[in-house]
């Protein structure tokens, strides 16, 4: 289950049952040229945790055969649930679907995680080959993200390198700025036309896509079809976080 750091995470937060969201994300990954591997981490079905590491010895790594892995993903095992499942992509390598950190009684964000590769290197150091690789990874990851948005109907979601998606309480606490690659659902923006206008203005130099169920924002060229980046992505991320705190 080891991924070479730094990690690229595509994560969503939903009020749907966690196992339902996990299953749907697995279906999305399988639909984008990823092969399920006979490698799954399981935990007691009803045991609550914040971090996966909180499970300690209750979390087990197993290779029960692909049929049983699929049964675990589908939530058909009485006593266990899958909390991390391995897939493999021919070009991009290992891809994991896993539970992310939550706080208290909130639900876990569910992520698609992989090695960030060149996206973990400062862009100023990229060669032409690195840039081509970054665009390939970014294009595939955006496709994953858009399918997760469509299939799972999340409240919000994010693509980021070495950043985890905060739960609503974490976002309200402003523990850390978000990434500029973000989705916010129509349900959170309903009745907030000024917030929509501010987001559109904030990402005017990047990319804004109106989806049937929300707004998809991008401020980094590898992740949008315009291949445009915000002039100051750190400031963009801080302003995005400030705008969304009250919405969640």
């Amino acid at each position: 289950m080891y991924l070479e750091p730094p990690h690229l995470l595509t994560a969503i937060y939903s009020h749907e049952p966690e196992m339902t969201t996990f299953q749907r994300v697995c279906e999305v990954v399988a639909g984008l040229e990823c092969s399920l591997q006979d490698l799954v981490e399981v935990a007691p079905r009803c045991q609550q945790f914040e971090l996966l590491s909180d499970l300690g010895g209750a979390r087990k790594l197993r290779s029960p055969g692909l049929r049983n892995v699929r049964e675990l993903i589908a939530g058909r095992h009485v006593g266990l649930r899958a909390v991390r499942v391995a897939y493999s992509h021919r070009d991009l390598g290992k891809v994991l679907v896993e539970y992310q950190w939550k706080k208290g009684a909130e639900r876990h964000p569910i992520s698609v995680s992989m090695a960030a590769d060149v996206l973990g290197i400062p862009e100023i150091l990229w060669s032409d080959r690195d840039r081509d690789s970054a665009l390939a990874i970014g294009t595939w990851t955006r496709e994953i993200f858009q399918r997760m948005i469509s299939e799972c109907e999340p409240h919000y979601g994010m693509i980021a390198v070495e950043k985890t998606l905060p739960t609503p309480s974490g976002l309200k606490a402003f523990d850390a700025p978000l990434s500029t690659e973000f989705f916010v659902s129509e349900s959170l923006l309903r009745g907030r036309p000024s917030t929509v206008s501010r987001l559109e203005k904030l990402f005017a130099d990047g990319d804004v896509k109106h989806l049937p169920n929300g707004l998809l924002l991008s401020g980094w060229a590898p992740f949008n079809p315009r291949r445009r980046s915000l002039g100051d992505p750190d400031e963009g991320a801080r302003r995005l976080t400030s705008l969304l705190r009250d919405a969640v």
Side-chain angles (χ1 to χ4, degrees):
M1 290 291 190
Y2 176 79
L3 290 173
E4 191 71 32
H7 300 153
L8 175 65
L9 285 77
T10 305
I12 56 172
Y13 183 85
S14 172
H15 287 315
E16 288 290 316
E18 295 170 343
M19 287 193 292
T20 300
T21 303
F22 189 91
Q23 178 184 353
R24 289 178 179 171
V25 171
C26 286
E27 291 170 353
V28 167
V29 171
L32 279 173
E33 302 180 331
C34 287
S35 301
L36 181 64
Q37 304 297 292
D38 183 15
L39 201 60
V40 57
E41 285 188 353
V42 298
R45 189 183 182 104
C46 297
Q47 184 168 341
Q48 295 299 306
F49 60 95
E50 294 189 350
L51 290 164
L52 284 176
S53 58
D54 294 340
L55 290 165
R59 182 177 56 158
K60 305 290 186 182
L61 180 63
R62 294 187 175 180
S63 297
L66 292 179
R67 179 179 178 179
N68 287 321
V69 174
R70 292 189 179 97
E71 291 289 303
L72 283 160
I73 290 171
R76 288 195 283 265
H77 194 289
V78 175
L80 298 173
R81 62 170 159 171
V83 293
R84 180 181 284 169
V85 177
Y87 290 81
S88 180
H89 187 280
R90 179 183 60 189
D91 298 321
L92 302 176
K94 189 179 299 179
V95 177
L96 303 180
V97 178
E98 57 186 339
Y99 282 62
Q100 291 296 329
W101 172 85
K102 74 164 186 174
K103 188 173 183 178
E106 294 176 306
R107 299 190 189 275
H108 289 271
I110 304 297
S111 77
V112 177
S113 307
M114 55 192 289
D117 195 56
V118 67
L119 292 173
I121 302 172
E123 194 169 347
I124 194 172
L125 301 178
W126 288 356
S127 65
D128 289 343
R129 184 176 180 179
D130 290 336
R131 193 168 302 278
D132 289 342
S133 178
L135 293 180
I137 297 170
T139 299
W140 186 83
T141 305
R142 182 179 169 96
E143 179 64 19
I144 279 278
F145 195 30
Q146 289 193 210
R147 293 200 187 188
M148 289 166 68
I149 290 165
S150 175
E151 298 297 323
C152 305
E153 294 286 335
H155 285 274
Y156 57 88
M158 182 174 77
I159 303 172
V161 176
E162 287 298 326
K163 284 185 179 182
T164 58
L165 181 68
T167 58
S169 64
L171 182 53
K172 286 180 180 293
F174 197 26
D175 289 335
L178 301 168
S179 162
T180 58
E181 313 310 302
F182 206 86
F183 167 77
V184 55
S185 68
E186 189 275 336
S187 63
L188 292 180
L189 294 173
R190 190 180 301 129
R192 299 176 181 271
S194 63
T195 300
V196 174
S197 296
R198 290 174 182 175
L199 290 172
E200 290 174 333
K201 183 176 180 180
L202 177 59
F203 283 85
D205 291 336
D207 186 67
V208 177
K209 185 172 183 177
H210 288 264
L211 300 175
N213 58 339
L215 207 60
L216 180 58
L217 308 165
S218 175
W220 193 11
F223 295 102
N224 65 70
R226 297 178 68 194
R227 303 306 183 204
R228 298 279 297 275
S229 296
L230 300 184
D232 187 345
D234 290 338
E235 176 60 22
R238 284 191 290 270
R239 290 177 61 191
L240 170 66
T241 308
S242 180
L243 283 170
L244 293 181
R245 285 178 67 192
D246 294 333
V248 300

